[in-house]
Amino acid sequence: MSWGTKEQKGELALLGLESGLSLLNSMFEESKKFKKEAKEDPKLIDDTELLRILDINEEYTTRVNNLLYDTELGCKFKRTEEIFLMIIEVIMLDLEYDYEEVIKNFTNSFDNEAFIEAHDQAMKLRTERLKNEYDANLIQYNVDYEAYLENKKNTGFFKSIFGESLVEPSKPILRS
């Protein structure tokens, strides 16, 4: 049995892409800063700094490749997934000006009221799913907490000092 529908897996992958893009953007900015400094003063970069820059570049490249090639969006057509990942790569590498027709086509595919309504509905469904998960976790927490209180009540003074300490269960947190 699968842990979610194709749509839920796609949403999860999209969230992963968004967080990955944020991380990659910060790495890109740091790399860009080093590159600018090196252009202004080539003597500024010594061998140690060069190795650090190369490490940043390697990490950036690895993350981009992991993001792009380990992602499964659950698309009906494999080609749709390939196109989407290509567009993400174009955006990540800041090549929109060179792929303006592709970006325009991509944007036109979802720049409509139906997409916005479907997105809003998907967000409502996600909120509902998270609430249901939280409610189930809260029920389990209450059961565990009652058992904890019972064990604590039944533990004598010397046993509480010399025996294993009881661990209070942690209360679940509603994810957003």
Side-chain angles (χ1 to χ4, degrees), residues 26-166:
S26 66
M27 290 173 61
F28 175 73
E29 290 302 320
E30 187 176 349
S31 178
K32 195 172 165 181
K33 181 184 86 171
F34 286 132
K35 188 176 179 181
K36 181 181 177 193
E37 288 174 2
K39 283 182 180 177
E40 290 172 359
D41 185 5
K43 296 174 189 162
L44 184 67
I45 306 290
D46 61 0
D47 290 342
T48 312
E49 191 65 22
L50 179 60
L51 289 174
R52 185 166 136 30
I53 291 169
L54 290 174
D55 283 344
I56 290 171
N57 186 46
E58 183 178 339
E59 183 179 353
Y60 176 76
T61 303
T62 301
R63 288 180 189 259
V64 168
N65 288 336
N66 284 343
L67 225 123
L68 291 175
Y69 303 113
D70 289 347
T71 303
E72 288 192 29
L73 301 175
C75 295
K76 182 178 176 182
F77 301 105
K78 183 71 176 160
R79 184 73 178 127
T80 303
E81 190 172 296
E82 291 170 359
I83 292 168
F84 180 76
L85 293 176
M86 177 208 150
I87 290 168
I88 294 299
E89 185 175 20
V90 165
I91 292 169
M92 288 172 62
L93 298 175
D94 199 23
L95 299 173
E96 294 94 335
Y97 65 91
D98 195 31
Y99 287 85
E100 64 184 64
E101 300 83 3
V102 173
I103 296 297
K104 182 174 173 136
N105 176 58
F106 174 69
T107 305
N108 287 340
S109 69
F110 61 83
D111 191 17
N112 56 58
E113 289 179 22
F115 177 80
I116 294 168
E117 290 170 8
H119 174 76
D120 291 344
Q121 181 62 29
M123 292 304 294
K124 285 178 187 173
L125 291 172
R126 179 181 184 276
T127 300
E128 188 177 307
R129 177 179 52 83
L130 293 178
K131 176 75 170 108
N132 290 338
E133 285 176 10
Y134 173 76
D135 290 344
N137 290 338
L138 193 58
I139 290 170
Q140 184 60 49
Y141 165 77
N142 287 332
V143 169
D144 293 345
Y145 191 74
E146 288 296 321
Y148 165 77
L149 290 177
E150 188 64 31
N151 286 337
K152 188 174 181 178
K153 184 173 113 180
N154 293 334
T155 303
F157 175 73
F158 289 109
K159 193 173 185 181
S160 67
I161 293 174
F162 300 111
E164 290 182 20
S165 63
L166 296 175

